[in-house]
PDB file of all heavy atoms in Angstrom:
ATOM      1  N   GLU F 392      40.243 101.211 142.048  1.00 84.00           N
ATOM      2  CA  GLU F 392      38.931 101.778 141.719  1.00 84.00           C
ATOM      3  C   GLU F 392      37.880 100.688 141.856  1.00 84.00           C
ATOM      4  O   GLU F 392      38.057  99.586 141.354  1.00 84.00           O
ATOM      5  CB  GLU F 392      38.920 102.267 140.266  1.00 84.00           C
ATOM      6  CG  GLU F 392      39.881 103.391 139.966  1.00 84.00           C
ATOM      7  CD  GLU F 392      39.409 104.726 140.503  1.00 84.00           C
ATOM      8  OE1 GLU F 392      38.320 104.751 141.120  1.00 84.00           O
ATOM      9  OE2 GLU F 392      40.128 105.710 140.318  1.00 84.00           O
ATOM     10  N   PRO F 393      36.771 100.990 142.493  1.00 86.00           N
ATOM     11  CA  PRO F 393      35.767  99.952 142.693  1.00 86.00           C
ATOM     12  C   PRO F 393      34.991  99.582 141.431  1.00 86.00           C
ATOM     13  O   PRO F 393      34.498  98.475 141.319  1.00 86.00           O
ATOM     14  CB  PRO F 393      34.837 100.550 143.747  1.00 86.00           C
ATOM     15  CG  PRO F 393      35.039 102.020 143.662  1.00 86.00           C
ATOM     16  CD  PRO F 393      36.417 102.254 143.159  1.00 86.00           C
ATOM     17  N   ASN F 394      34.849 100.502 140.489  1.00 92.00           N
ATOM     18  CA  ASN F 394      34.004 100.220 139.332  1.00 92.00           C
ATOM     19  C   ASN F 394      34.809  99.962 138.077  1.00 92.00           C
ATOM     20  O   ASN F 394      35.294 100.878 137.442  1.00 92.00           O
ATOM     21  CB  ASN F 394      33.068 101.402 139.077  1.00 92.00           C
ATOM     22  CG  ASN F 394      31.769 101.226 139.814  1.00 92.00           C
ATOM     23  OD1 ASN F 394      31.349 100.092 140.084  1.00 92.00           O
ATOM     24  ND2 ASN F 394      31.143 102.335 140.155  1.00 92.00           N
ATOM     25  N   VAL F 395      34.941  98.688 137.729  1.00 95.00           N
ATOM     26  CA  VAL F 395      35.681  98.386 136.508  1.00 95.00           C
ATOM     27  C   VAL F 395      34.868  97.446 135.623  1.00 95.00           C
ATOM     28  O   VAL F 395      34.075  96.639 136.101  1.00 95.00           O
ATOM     29  CB  VAL F 395      37.066  97.767 136.808  1.00 95.00           C
ATOM     30  CG1 VAL F 395      37.926  98.705 137.626  1.00 95.00           C
ATOM     31  CG2 VAL F 395      36.928  96.419 137.494  1.00 95.00           C
ATOM     32  N   LEU F 396      35.102  97.576 134.321  1.00 96.00           N
ATOM     33  CA  LEU F 396      34.386  96.750 133.341  1.00 96.00           C
ATOM     34  C   LEU F 396      35.388  95.878 132.592  1.00 96.00           C
ATOM     35  O   LEU F 396      36.424  96.360 132.140  1.00 96.00           O
ATOM     36  CB  LEU F 396      33.647  97.668 132.351  1.00 96.00           C
ATOM     37  CG  LEU F 396      32.904  96.953 131.216  1.00 96.00           C
ATOM     38  CD1 LEU F 396      31.720  96.138 131.742  1.00 96.00           C
ATOM     39  CD2 LEU F 396      32.416  97.981 130.173  1.00 96.00           C
ATOM     40  N   LEU F 397      35.058  94.603 132.490  1.00 96.00           N
ATOM     41  CA  LEU F 397      35.879  93.667 131.725  1.00 96.00           C
ATOM     42  C   LEU F 397      35.106  93.281 130.471  1.00 96.00           C
ATOM     43  O   LEU F 397      33.972  92.807 130.580  1.00 96.00           O
ATOM     44  CB  LEU F 397      36.156  92.408 132.552  1.00 96.00           C
ATOM     45  CG  LEU F 397      37.319  92.402 133.551  1.00 96.00           C
ATOM     46  CD1 LEU F 397      37.313  93.614 134.447  1.00 96.00           C
ATOM     47  CD2 LEU F 397      37.308  91.119 134.367  1.00 96.00           C
ATOM     48  N   VAL F 398      35.696  93.488 129.308  1.00 97.00           N
ATOM     49  CA  VAL F 398      35.005  93.140 128.061  1.00 97.00           C
ATOM     50  C   VAL F 398      35.819  92.106 127.300  1.00 97.00           C
ATOM     51  O   VAL F 398      36.967  92.358 126.935  1.00 97.00           O
ATOM     52  CB  VAL F 398      34.792  94.379 127.161  1.00 97.00           C
ATOM     53  CG1 VAL F 398      33.940  94.005 125.948  1.00 97.00           C
ATOM     54  CG2 VAL F 398      34.152  95.516 127.939  1.00 97.00           C
ATOM     55  N   GLY F 399      35.223  90.938 127.072  1.00 95.00           N
ATOM     56  CA  GLY F 399      35.932  89.864 126.382  1.00 95.00           C
ATOM     57  C   GLY F 399      35.191  89.423 125.142  1.00 95.00           C
ATOM     58  O   GLY F 399      33.972  89.441 125.089  1.00 95.00           O
ATOM     59  N   GLY F 400      35.955  89.022 124.134  1.00 92.00           N
ATOM     60  CA  GLY F 400      35.337  88.490 122.920  1.00 92.00           C
ATOM     61  C   GLY F 400      35.929  87.131 122.620  1.00 92.00           C
ATOM     62  O   GLY F 400      37.144  86.982 122.579  1.00 92.00           O
ATOM     63  N   GLY F 401      35.078  86.118 122.441  1.00 83.00           N
ATOM     64  CA  GLY F 401      35.553  84.776 122.096  1.00 83.00           C
ATOM     65  C   GLY F 401      36.570  84.279 123.093  1.00 83.00           C
ATOM     66  O   GLY F 401      36.389  84.397 124.304  1.00 83.00           O
ATOM     67  N   CYS F 402      37.685  83.755 122.553  1.00 77.00           N
ATOM     68  CA  CYS F 402      38.709  83.201 123.433  1.00 77.00           C
ATOM     69  C   CYS F 402      39.449  84.288 124.196  1.00 77.00           C
ATOM     70  O   CYS F 402      40.243  84.009 125.091  1.00 77.00           O
ATOM     71  CB  CYS F 402      39.691  82.362 122.634  1.00 77.00           C
ATOM     72  SG  CYS F 402      40.120  80.869 123.498  1.00 77.00           S
ATOM     73  N   GLY F 403      39.178  85.527 123.832  1.00 82.00           N
ATOM     74  CA  GLY F 403      39.776  86.654 124.529  1.00 82.00           C
ATOM     75  C   GLY F 403      39.347  86.733 125.977  1.00 82.00           C
ATOM     76  O   GLY F 403      39.884  87.509 126.753  1.00 82.00           O
ATOM     77  N   VAL F 404      38.386  85.892 126.355  1.00 87.00           N
ATOM     78  CA  VAL F 404      38.004  85.901 127.764  1.00 87.00           C
ATOM     79  C   VAL F 404      39.077  85.219 128.612  1.00 87.00           C
ATOM     80  O   VAL F 404      39.087  85.367 129.830  1.00 87.00           O
ATOM     81  CB  VAL F 404      36.640  85.215 128.026  1.00 87.00           C
ATOM     82  CG1 VAL F 404      35.535  85.960 127.302  1.00 87.00           C
ATOM     83  CG2 VAL F 404      36.679  83.761 127.635  1.00 87.00           C
ATOM     84  N   ALA F 405      39.999  84.495 127.970  1.00 94.00           N
ATOM     85  CA  ALA F 405      40.962  83.689 128.732  1.00 94.00           C
ATOM     86  C   ALA F 405      41.633  84.443 129.882  1.00 94.00           C
ATOM     87  O   ALA F 405      41.541  84.020 131.029  1.00 94.00           O
ATOM     88  CB  ALA F 405      41.990  83.055 127.797  1.00 94.00           C
ATOM     89  N   PRO F 406      42.305  85.567 129.645  1.00 96.00           N
ATOM     90  CA  PRO F 406      42.991  86.226 130.763  1.00 96.00           C
ATOM     91  C   PRO F 406      42.033  86.936 131.712  1.00 96.00           C
ATOM     92  O   PRO F 406      42.405  87.295 132.825  1.00 96.00           O
ATOM     93  CB  PRO F 406      43.909  87.239 130.071  1.00 96.00           C
ATOM     94  CG  PRO F 406      43.264  87.511 128.766  1.00 96.00           C
ATOM     95  CD  PRO F 406      42.561  86.244 128.364  1.00 96.00           C
ATOM     96  N   LEU F 407      40.799  87.160 131.261  1.00 96.00           N
ATOM     97  CA  LEU F 407      39.878  87.949 132.085  1.00 96.00           C
ATOM     98  C   LEU F 407      39.368  87.188 133.305  1.00 96.00           C
ATOM     99  O   LEU F 407      38.971  87.791 134.294  1.00 96.00           O
ATOM    100  CB  LEU F 407      38.710  88.470 131.237  1.00 96.00           C
ATOM    101  CG  LEU F 407      39.108  89.417 130.087  1.00 96.00           C
ATOM    102  CD1 LEU F 407      37.861  89.930 129.375  1.00 96.00           C
ATOM    103  CD2 LEU F 407      39.955  90.586 130.579  1.00 96.00           C
TER     104      LEU F 407
END
Side-chain angles (χ1 to χ4, degrees):
Chain F
E392 297 285 0
N394 269 333
V395 300
L396 177 67
L397 276 49
V398 186
C402 221
V404 298
L407 298 183

